[in-house]
Amino acid sequence: MTPPATSTRTLSTADERRESILEAAQGIFAVRGLHGTPTMEIAKAAGISQAYLFRLFPTKAELYIALVRRCNERIQRTFADAAAEARAAGEEIRPAMGAAYVGLLADRTLLLGQLHAFAACDDDAVRAEMQRGFARLVELVERESGATAEEVRTFFAHGMLLNVLAAMRAEDSDAHWAQVLLNGC
Amino acid sequence: MTPPATSTRTLSTADERRESILEAAQGIFAVRGLHGTPTMEIAKAAGISQAYLFRLFPTKAELYIALVRRCNERIQRTFADAAAEARAAGEEIRPAMGAAYVGLLADRTLLLGQLHAFAACDDDAVRAEMQRGFARLVELVERESGATAEEVRTFFAHGMLLNVLAAMRAEDSDAHWAQVLLNGC
DNA sequence: CATGCGAGTGAGTGACCGATCACACCCCCG
DNA sequence: CGGGGGTGTGATCGGTCACTCACTCGCATG
């Protein structure tokens, strides 16, 4: 069933392929979004044929949703880990979650991917996945940080601002507006 | 040149058509975005043939950019008017801009359209237009309201949060996360 | 070695979409 | 009334895209 770890396989298992496809797809979808990126580009980036991509993900939409779920789970896990570590070390939770947040910002494709996921929310399945992700994340932040509703709201608001600033490439601009809005990151 | 106002014209001028196309396009593009919406749908919504749409806007991208510019100008004008009115009435500027802001929120297509415009920022021309719009808006808010950089940042951050909440249809949800994030609108 | 199964692909197919073009129609002006 | 310029359309084209199918190959097992 499971090949030994020392195996010199040239072929991958389907699960390994799915994972590497999702990894490649994240970088591609993050630039042009669900409707803007052809499946051929993703297949190329993943190093497989387009035909095989469609065997592993029966539909472009299903691939996209799997990617959205993966990103949401990654964000969720990052925050949960940070909170758990702080709690175990007897440190304050709130700054730890802030730090985890800043760490996430380093990944530009995550921010852009999230923005495109919001834009793709016209699709029912995408919207359901995003709502589910937000629900879990808000719950986690509230429970772990003990912040008030207004604090939580401002926390997420600044996150969304960073999404759009990433899309506009504010970091590459030294214009006044970019300085003002990016200040504090 | 200009037809008399009492004319019983059945044909429109090109400028009138362009305007009604942009009006129709806003509602359509706001749902599925630049890459997700076919030009045929816009032509249908505007009540003209697709061929004529392409005569009035030589390219789908140019139509989209004209729309983005129109939206930006509308936002800009709304804020400027609110500030001017408050100033003339001797009232405080900052609450007036907040009120103008809330008024803008009533138009869901404006929020969704802006979100899709951010997502379309991979296109150089779209990004340039959005940067220009943001630059002018930040400048206006700063100058008129006299807010600090941090206040301006938080102001825009909450605006961007409302964009994504509109995309996720948080207003139609009575879930906890929606209550928390929408509270105060 | 034989055989069976999962990994992987080249070559399509039908549908759709952006863009074009030849042409019809309306309206104003001399 | 005739003609010219602006409004508007039907038909279509070239290209692209999501998705399919028939097929090959690699590898573990007996």
Side-chain angles (χ1 to χ4, degrees), chain B residues 86-122:
Chain B
R87 186 178 303 279
E91 294 166 5
E92 285 187 77
I93 309 285
R94 217 178 298 192
M97 301 198 73
Y101 178 67
V102 174
L104 242 22
L105 299 184
D107 188 353
R108 227 183 93 90
T109 71
L110 195 68
L111 292 182
L112 291 181
Q114 220 185 21
L115 186 68
H116 278 114
F118 289 126
C121 271
D122 178 54

Side-chain angles (χ1 to χ4, degrees), chain B residues 10-31:
Chain B
T10 59
L11 274 61
S12 304
T13 69
D15 279 345
E16 285 168 349
R17 277 292 186 210
R18 260 185 278 261
E19 185 56 28
S20 67
I21 289 171
L22 287 174
E23 189 65 32
Q26 179 165 352
I28 308 277
F29 274 135
V31 177

